[in-house]
Amino acid sequence: MEVVYRFSQPQLKWSAFGHWRESMAAIHRDWLFDRSSLTGRLRALSDDEFEVIPLREAVGPILPEECRVLGLQPGVLGWIREVYLTGFGRPWVYARSVINHRDVEESDSTLLQLGNVPLGSLLFGEKPYKRSEIEVCRYRDACNASSRAAYPLWARRSVFSRGQTRVLVHEMFLPALWEELS
């Protein structure tokens, strides 16, 4: 399955909570700015009918904007993972994680072989990672996704770090999730 969501389009305006406080519905704020495990929330919402569907796990070029956020030189290769997080068999969230795999410490090497294991189980596990500020953007012109006016496409990103390991996590909240919550 080819996925072409773009988290690094130049026209995307990533902003922190204060920017969106007044213009975003309360339900969207609640989900987008929640700092707890998204995996945990989706499991609860789906009565444990939750699944991670891997779309891509491979070494590839880290996009220029991702390099900027991670503090890397442009053109660096990294470990790219793209998945759907599903509930009741419906894709609720499209997620892309990016790691400069050369900086992954030995204790974090399981990040590079997750398969259908949720990334959140490691990031929020026994030795949790520290999470940066959450930034959010609204997609007006999303690729490969239909969006009704009632269910705008929102995405968030943050960097998780522990020791030398840094993981940039993008999550796009798809219309099926908002439908489930309405």
Side-chain angles (χ1 to χ4, degrees):
M1 178 184 294
E2 174 92 11
V3 178
V4 292
Y5 297 117
R6 302 284 184 225
F7 288 108
S8 294
Q9 295 172 356
Q11 70 271 25
L12 292 179
K13 303 293 185 234
W14 294 92
S15 299
F17 179 74
H19 177 83
W20 297 109
R21 184 185 310 264
E22 302 300 321
S23 61
M24 183 185 287
I27 189 75
H28 297 149
R29 276 193 313 271
D30 177 51
W31 279 81
L32 290 161
F33 290 102
D34 182 69
R35 297 184 61 81
S36 68
S37 170
L38 179 60
T39 298
R41 289 191 82 179
L42 294 174
R43 277 190 198 282
L45 181 64
S46 67
D47 296 325
D48 246 357
E49 241 185 273
F50 170 81
E51 186 179 3
V52 175
I53 301 187
L55 302 169
R56 174 183 176 206
E57 291 185 288
V59 172
I62 298 176
L63 300 173
E65 174 67 6
E66 294 169 335
C67 285
R68 189 192 65 73
V69 171
L70 287 168
L72 301 171
Q73 292 297 319
V76 172
L77 293 179
W79 186 253
I80 313 295
R81 180 176 190 239
E82 296 173 335
V83 301
Y84 278 128
L85 306 177
T86 69
F88 305 119
R90 298 179 69 199
W92 283 350
V93 174
Y94 164 74
R96 174 181 166 98
S97 54
V98 178
I99 306 168
N100 180 7
H101 65 294
R102 292 198 167 104
D103 290 343
V104 173
E105 295 180 6
E106 177 122 3
S107 62
D108 297 317
S109 63
T110 53
L111 291 169
L112 306 179
Q113 25 185 314
L114 289 171
N116 63 354
V117 174
L119 176 60
S121 66
L122 294 178
L123 298 178
F124 293 92
E126 284 181 28
K127 293 168 46 178
Y129 288 68
K130 183 180 177 194
R131 185 180 210 162
S132 71
E133 179 177 36
I134 295 172
E135 294 181 304
V136 170
C137 76
R138 181 175 177 176
Y139 280 70
R140 299 211 181 272
D141 193 19
C143 301
N144 205 24
S146 63
S147 178
R148 291 179 238 143
Y151 302 111
L153 282 174
W154 291 100
R156 71 179 185 177
R157 70 181 182 189
S158 55
V159 176
F160 290 83
S161 56
R162 185 172 72 192
Q164 193 173 313
T165 306
R166 294 171 45 88
V167 183
L168 174 59
V169 177
H170 297 94
E171 297 155 326
M172 180 182 284
F173 293 69
L174 301 173
L177 175 63
W178 305 127
E179 289 170 8
E180 185 65 34
L181 291 166
S182 62

